[in-house]
Amino acid sequence: QVQLVESGGGSVQAGGSLRLSCAASGDTDRTYCMGWFRQAPGKGREGVAFIYTGGTSTLYADSVKGRFTISHDNAKNTLYLQMNSVKPEDTAMYYCAAEKRWCGSWLRDEAEYKYWGQGTRVTVSS
């Protein structure tokens, strides 16, 4: 079992920056595919960034590519999402997710992830 707790959300003006964190506890000795998903009001959940904790490869949604950076600190068991040049359309609840296997072609499918955090809200004003 893995427990995930997000933090770092808040309100920011367009063009600003924010860093989200996701602290993992429990069975953290294994490697995981981890991702950040977001859900805007009235919309479905969207995967925005992904990373495999056993390597360095990352993947981003086109909507955030070049602006967001996902990273993982194995020593701290913490996942990060650095959000730069934020836009009002980035406003959403952000969730981190983990699945105990290598990131495969399934990684954008939220149903494939077993472990989820409770979410942290990001609001971007224009």
Side-chain angles (χ1 to χ4, degrees), residues 2-124:
V2 173
Q3 295 76 44
L4 303 174
V5 179
E6 301 97 332
S7 61
S11 297
V12 61
Q13 287 195 326
S17 297
L18 210 58
R19 189 175 81 156
L20 307 183
S21 300
C22 172
S25 60
D27 188 13
T28 57
D29 286 342
R30 299 177 181 270
T31 52
Y32 292 81
C33 183
M34 298 194 75
W36 285 100
F37 289 77
R38 67 185 181 186
Q39 187 166 19
K43 295 188 176 182
R45 197 171 292 185
E46 171 195 22
V48 297
F50 306 90
I51 191 169
Y52 177 58
T53 63
T56 57
S57 296
T58 57
L59 188 72
Y60 298 92
D62 288 344
S63 57
V64 306
K65 198 174 294 182
R67 300 188 298 119
F68 291 9
T69 301
I70 188 171
S71 61
H72 185 265
D73 187 328
N74 287 339
K76 296 182 178 180
N77 293 318
T78 302
L79 180 73
Y80 301 99
L81 185 68
Q82 179 66 44
M83 305 169 62
N84 297 330
S85 303
V86 296
K87 304 175 182 179
E89 50 263 44
D90 294 322
T91 294
M93 185 73 84
Y94 283 73
Y95 301 89
C96 68
E99 172 61 22
K100 199 182 304 182
R101 49 178 162 147
W102 179 73
C103 293
S105 57
W106 51 267
L107 62 83
R108 293 179 181 84
D109 185 352
E110 61 175 297
E112 295 286 344
Y113 291 82
K114 182 175 182 179
Y115 305 104
W116 289 85
Q118 82 291 346
T120 186
R121 187 173 301 279
V122 172
T123 302
V124 182

